């Protein structure tokens, strides 16, 4: 890694954080992920604790709540504290609840959802704000089925200054048909143009907003140029472990991730065993391109939660 990249990691890892009073936050790595304890998601969460959950979410991007015993109604109620839940036509999903996506794999599976690095649904004009996966069953053999998450603020910050400058102002196309490669896609899948370097809507921080699960090309470049740039970025995200945390699941674990500034990848290393979870998705907003923020603006916007208390 070049020196600028190491400096970026050091800076993000060392950002000052206020202590928490209403929950316990144990960071998983210095740059992404935190285990949250002292929260019971089966109960109505008070406003002070909720405020701290929001702050922990913006600081860590991926929150892990273990030992939860919740119904899908309680999971959805927690999701609704952050926004409107995405509802899909019943014809497009496995299951009978339009707000729940079943994440299921077993001995008959030939693939699993989310096996490549991706961000959920970026082909939507307004991609989701976050997703919450609640795990019911983990592989019977007692291991496998982890999920990897990567920090897209850090992915952007670790690029060289010249590459950052080049990417700012460019856009890329995200195509809902990409995950359907090899299958017959449903009609009317969205295709949307988003900035490559977007601004986090709550913190104002820049982040890389392309992913191999949906992004097809950069329309202002030739095909060869576009492939070279996107493959370089996808390879970087795939290869660079300093961006990542790895979450091990147990039945009763709920993970809530910020879909705007992370990518994730489900590790399918447990065939022929099974794994089953339910996911709800909170709707988000159209990503805006990152402006060149002054140092003082960056400081102002760092980690103060504007999410509703
Ligand atoms: C997904 O939302 O992509 C699935 C993640 C997982 O199964 O771990």
């Amino acid at each position: 890694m070049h020196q600028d990249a190491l400096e970026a990691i050091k800076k993000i890892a060392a950002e000052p954080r206020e202590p928490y009073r209403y929950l316990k936050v144990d960071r998983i790595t210095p740059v992404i992920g935190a285990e949250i304890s002292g929260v019971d998601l089966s109960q109505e969460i008070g406003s002070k604790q909720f405020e701290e959950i929001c702050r922990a979410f913006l600081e860590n991007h991926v929150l892990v709540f273990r030992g939860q015993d919740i119904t899908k109604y309680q999971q959805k109620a927690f999701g609704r504290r952050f926004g409107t839940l995405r509802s899909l036509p019943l014809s497009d999903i496995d299951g009978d609840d339009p707000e729940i996506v079943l994440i299921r794999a077993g001995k008959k599976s030939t693939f699993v959802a989310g096996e490549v690095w991706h961000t959920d649904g970026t082909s939507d004009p307004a991609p989701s704000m976050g997703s919450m996966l609640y795990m019911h069953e983990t592989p019977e053999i007692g291991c496998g089925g982890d999920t990897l998450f990567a920090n897209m603020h850090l992915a952007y910050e670790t690029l060289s200054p010249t590459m950052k400058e080049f990417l700012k102002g460019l856009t890329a196309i995200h195509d809902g048909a990409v995950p359907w490669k090899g299958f017959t896609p449903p009609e009317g899948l969205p295709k949307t143009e988003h900035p490559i370097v977007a601004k986090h809507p709550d913190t104002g921080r820049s982040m890389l907003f392309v992913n191999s699960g949906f992004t097809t090309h950069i329309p202002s470049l030739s095909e060869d140029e576009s492939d070279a740039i996107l493959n370089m970025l996808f390879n970087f995200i795939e290869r660079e472990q300093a961006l990542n945390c790895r979450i091990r699941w147990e039945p009763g674990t709920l993970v809530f991730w910020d879909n705007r500034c992370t990518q994730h990848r489900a590790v399918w290393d447990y065939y022929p065993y099974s794994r089953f979870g339910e996911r709800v998705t909170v709707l988000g907003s159209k990503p805006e391109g990152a402006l060149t923020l002054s140092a003082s603006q960056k400081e102002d916007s760092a980690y103060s939660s504007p999410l509703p208390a």
Side-chain angles (χ1 to χ4, degrees):
M1 244 190 223
H2 60 81
Q3 194 56 34
D4 291 330
L6 292 173
E7 285 302 315
I9 293 174
K10 196 166 91 183
K11 195 164 156 242
I12 287 186
E15 269 160 0
R17 296 182 179 189
E18 293 290 315
Y20 289 88
R21 291 184 55 196
Y22 301 96
L23 40 89
K24 189 161 176 289
V25 176
D26 293 302
R27 290 160 81 171
I28 297 170
T29 80
V31 299
I32 183 168
E35 300 260 349
I36 305 297
S37 38
V39 178
D40 181 351
L41 299 178
S42 70
Q43 303 296 316
E44 173 82 19
I45 293 169
S47 63
K48 295 223 179 315
Q49 191 174 55
F50 186 67
E51 247 171 58
E52 290 201 343
I53 292 173
C54 291
R55 178 157 67 87
F57 184 66
L58 295 179
E59 288 180 351
N60 298 285
H61 321 305
V62 177
L63 300 184
V64 182
F65 301 84
R66 296 202 182 270
Q68 302 294 329
D69 185 7
I70 54 171
T71 63
K72 73 173 181 177
Y73 304 104
Q74 288 163 334
Q75 181 181 358
K76 294 203 294 185
F78 183 49
R80 279 199 195 95
R81 296 288 297 267
F82 298 90
T84 306
L85 299 188
R86 187 172 195 226
S87 178
L88 292 166
L90 280 177
S91 56
D92 285 7
I93 56 166
D94 178 15
D96 58 4
D97 187 325
E99 291 174 331
I100 299 263
V101 173
L102 302 183
I103 303 289
R104 192 187 339 239
K107 63 175 182 294
K108 293 205 177 126
S109 302
T110 51
F111 67 95
V112 302
E115 265 186 275
V116 297
W117 279 107
H118 69 286
T119 307
D120 297 331
T122 57
S123 54
D124 289 350
S128 69
M129 171 267 194
S131 300
M132 273 177 198
L133 177 58
Y134 179 62
M135 197 57 70
H136 291 275
E137 289 167 27
T138 47
E140 305 87 311
I141 193 167
C143 55
D146 296 353
T147 307
L148 303 173
F149 290 89
N151 178 337
M152 289 303 109
H153 293 303
L154 187 56
Y156 171 71
E157 294 300 340
T158 49
L159 296 171
S160 67
T162 310
M163 182 52 69
K164 281 188 194 150
E165 209 45 49
F166 172 70
L167 294 176
K168 263 191 185 168
L170 291 182
T171 58
I173 305 297
H174 297 240
D175 186 344
V178 176
W180 290 88
K181 215 168 160 193
F183 300 89
T184 313
E187 305 242 313
L189 290 170
K191 200 186 254 195
T192 309
E193 190 164 354
H194 292 306
I196 291 184
V197 183
K199 188 170 75 159
H200 193 288
D202 292 328
T203 62
R205 298 177 64 191
S206 299
M207 60 207 179
L208 197 57
F209 199 74
V210 288
N211 69 92
S212 60
F214 288 96
T215 314
T216 52
H217 64 285
I218 302 171
S220 59
L221 300 183
S222 72
E223 192 178 331
D224 281 353
E225 290 168 340
S226 167
D227 286 352
I229 294 294
L230 288 179
N231 286 332
M232 178 274 292
L233 295 172
F234 298 159
N235 290 337
F236 170 58
I237 289 157
E238 172 126 19
R239 191 190 66 232
E240 189 43 78
Q241 294 183 19
L243 306 177
N244 293 355
C245 69
R246 182 173 184 124
I247 306 297
R248 183 142 199 202
W249 299 86
E250 297 149 329
T253 302
L254 180 138
V255 176
F256 178 32
W257 62 88
D258 190 333
N259 206 45
R260 302 161 296 186
C261 61
T262 63
Q263 294 195 20
H264 58 282
R265 180 180 164 194
V267 181
W268 192 28
D269 55 358
Y270 53 91
Y271 184 82
Y273 300 99
S274 45
R275 179 177 181 267
F276 171 58
E278 294 183 304
R279 196 185 77 194
V280 301
T281 304
V282 182
L283 293 180
S285 53
K286 181 155 181 54
E288 280 181 40
L291 302 171
T292 312
L293 295 177
S294 68
S296 63
Q297 280 173 309
K298 269 189 191 153
E299 254 162 43
D300 287 345
S301 62
Y303 295 143
S304 62
S305 171
L307 290 178

